[in-house]
Amino acid sequence: MEITFELGYALDTFYFLICGVLVMWMAAGFTMLEAGLVRAKNTTEILTKNVALYAIASIMYMVCGYSIMYGGSDFVFFLDGISADGATGVAEDAATYAPAADFFFQVVFVATAMSIVSGAVAERMKLWSFLIFAVFLTAFIYPMEGSWTWGGEAVFGLYTLADFGFSDFAGSGIVHMAGASAALAGVIVLGARKGKYGPDGKVNAIPGANLPMAALGTFILWMGWFGFNGGSVLATATVESANSVAVVFMNTNMAAAGGLVAALLLARVLFGKADLTMALNGALAGLVAITAEPSTPTPLVAAVIGACGGLIVVGSILALDKFKIDDPVGAISVHGVVGLFGLLVVPLTNPAAKFGGQLLGAATIFIWVFGASLVVWLAIKAVMGVRVTDEEEFEGVDMSECGLEAYPDFTTSRQ
């Protein structure tokens, strides 16, 4: 059945926008997950960070981030050129959706990358130091990396990743590993929470205050991921693209299911109990693992890829604790370690991707994002500090940073 250009344009634009809304809803998922996995005395700050970082990401990506990532030599500030009529010469352009829809879809991705950082540095970081870092990540660090990957630009003019067979369908590396790399740099500069590691090397568990909220956050993220991966097909108005969207949705769901079950089973073997937090991170790990290529595996292979991600994340969380890298929500393991795994398994189902290209792409993303983020974190530390005082950490950062308790009827600032 033939479809007119105008109808296809409208359908693809509408689909793009709805998928963007689903990805925006992931911000709520990250917020609930992180709020559930921190202690009650630190809840208000984690909520404030997440709502603020989304707004900052939207503004900074508008100011210059989007143009850095996709503008090339046509760099402009403030999305100049995108207006109510879509773009100049819409009928003649090859694009099948409105340029403003593309910006909206891209900006929710950069907010996702920044959300990953939030949980990893929770419970001991100054709020305003975090928000200043958010400006740099969303305005420059992430867009530069994105220009080399999805933007197709040469890395510092030296090489183009696409020429080496690099492929990352929806961002296992470009979004998730990038966010985790920035988080790792922050955690190294920040240090561990007081009491997390004993002098004898013992790892002390610090349980979250609200596991129902963490479980709700995971389901919200699971739901939002259909927009994250499904929207990356970039179209749905033809039979071919509609079939591709359906396969991506199917494989995304199967990978999450495989990751959760595998992590739950491994936790039972290792701990003798069904560990909910590991199960939740297992589902997210499955989602991250399939994000690099959800369009080519069979549903069984997608479930296996997700299951491998679930097993990896449990081992990674335990390993990072051995190295005294304190990540309260497991973000570095879920998005970083499993993000790398997701990139490396792409050639197994997508012959257009090359293993060497995937390694080169992963190295490029990590070296740039980690290195640039480390410089920014250290600069912020030198100028205004990044960590609250020991007393403020003991009392809870809610009161020192926000002046509000999330659960005033049930807790005091010393709990």
Side-chain angles (χ1 to χ4, degrees):
M1 181 178 66
E2 185 176 352
I3 188 169
T4 65
F5 172 83
E6 290 80 5
L7 179 58
Y9 188 94
L11 288 174
D12 285 342
T13 296
F14 180 73
Y15 174 68
F16 220 17
L17 292 171
I18 294 302
C19 285
V21 169
L22 284 173
V23 181
M24 185 271 176
W25 187 230
M26 290 174 69
F30 279 113
T31 303
M32 294 298 97
L33 176 67
E34 294 170 15
L37 293 180
V38 301
R39 288 167 288 182
K41 63 185 180 181
N42 299 312
T43 307
T44 301
E45 195 220 23
I46 205 81
L47 298 174
T48 305
K49 285 199 303 183
N50 275 277
V51 295
L53 75 84
Y54 182 82
I56 290 170
S58 297
I59 292 169
M60 297 313 301
Y61 203 60
M62 174 198 68
V63 170
C64 62
Y66 183 73
S67 194
I68 290 173
M69 192 161 171
Y70 292 109
S73 59
D74 298 324
F75 176 85
V76 294
F77 284 106
F78 311 115
L79 301 184
D80 187 33
I82 297 180
S83 58
D85 63 353
T88 302
V90 166
E92 291 79 30
D93 285 349
T96 62
Y97 45 79
D102 183 61
F103 168 77
F104 176 65
F105 189 70
Q106 296 295 336
V107 79
V108 292
F109 272 56
V110 68
T112 297
M114 190 62 218
S115 294
I116 294 166
V117 182
S118 173
V121 299
E123 301 202 294
R124 73 273 201 204
M125 171 162 273
K126 291 182 177 181
L127 173 63
W128 289 100
S129 297
F130 172 83
L131 297 182
I132 289 172
F133 178 78
V135 171
F136 284 92
L137 181 76
T138 58
F140 180 67
I141 299 174
Y142 173 88
M144 279 296 295
E145 171 258 321
S147 72
W148 301 329
T149 48
W150 284 332
E153 297 292 325
V155 181
F156 291 122
L158 300 176
Y159 57 90
T160 303
L161 290 174
D163 292 339
F164 290 88
F166 175 76
S167 176
D168 189 0
F169 186 90
S172 287
I174 296 169
V175 179
H176 294 279
M177 196 178 76
S181 300
L184 178 61
V187 169
I188 290 173
V189 172
L190 193 60
R193 291 169 291 175
K194 299 295 182 184
K196 176 63 178 178
Y197 304 113
D200 58 352
K202 180 183 178 183
V203 179
N204 300 311
I206 303 179
N210 196 328
L211 292 184
M213 188 179 290
L216 174 63
T218 301
F219 268 119
I220 292 173
L221 286 166
W222 193 327
M223 175 184 173
W225 230 286
F226 295 120
F228 199 96
N229 288 354
S232 296
V233 177
L234 307 181
T236 193
T238 65
V239 172
E240 181 182 5
S241 59
N243 284 337
S244 182
V245 166
V247 168
V248 168
F249 271 58
M250 173 181 66
N251 286 341
T252 297
N253 189 64
M254 294 312 303
L260 190 147
V261 171
L264 190 63
L265 291 173
L266 182 57
R268 176 67 176 82
V269 171
L270 295 177
F271 314 132
K273 303 289 183 181
D275 189 312
L276 174 63
T277 61
M278 289 297 185
L280 299 179
N281 277 329
L284 299 178
L287 289 163
V288 171
I290 201 62
T291 293
E293 186 48 86
S295 65
T296 54
T298 66
L300 175 59
V301 171
V304 171
I305 290 172
C308 291
L311 297 176
I312 290 170
V313 80
V314 174
S316 177
I317 289 172
L318 298 176
L320 289 183
D321 270 336
K322 295 294 184 182
F323 290 103
K324 297 186 177 181
I325 296 175
D326 184 16
D327 179 358
V329 303
I332 296 170
S333 296
V334 169
H335 302 276
V337 177
V338 179
L340 174 61
F341 167 75
L343 285 179
L344 297 184
V345 296
V346 170
L348 298 181
T349 61
N350 182 356
K354 306 302 179 186
F355 186 73
Q358 298 301 96
L359 280 175
L360 180 62
T364 300
I365 293 168
F366 176 77
I367 292 171
W368 164 252
V369 178
F370 177 82
S373 297
L374 187 62
V375 170
V376 174
W377 284 125
L378 289 173
I380 295 172
K381 181 179 181 180
V383 173
M384 60 185 296
V386 294
R387 185 162 185 148
V388 299
T389 66
D390 290 351
E391 181 180 358
E392 289 170 338
E393 184 176 349
F394 176 74
E395 294 284 347
V397 292
D398 281 1
M399 292 306 297
S400 64
E401 296 294 293
C402 302
L404 294 170
E405 290 184 324
Y407 309 104
D409 293 336
F410 303 101
T411 64
T412 69
S413 61
R414 290 185 180 276
Q415 290 181 314

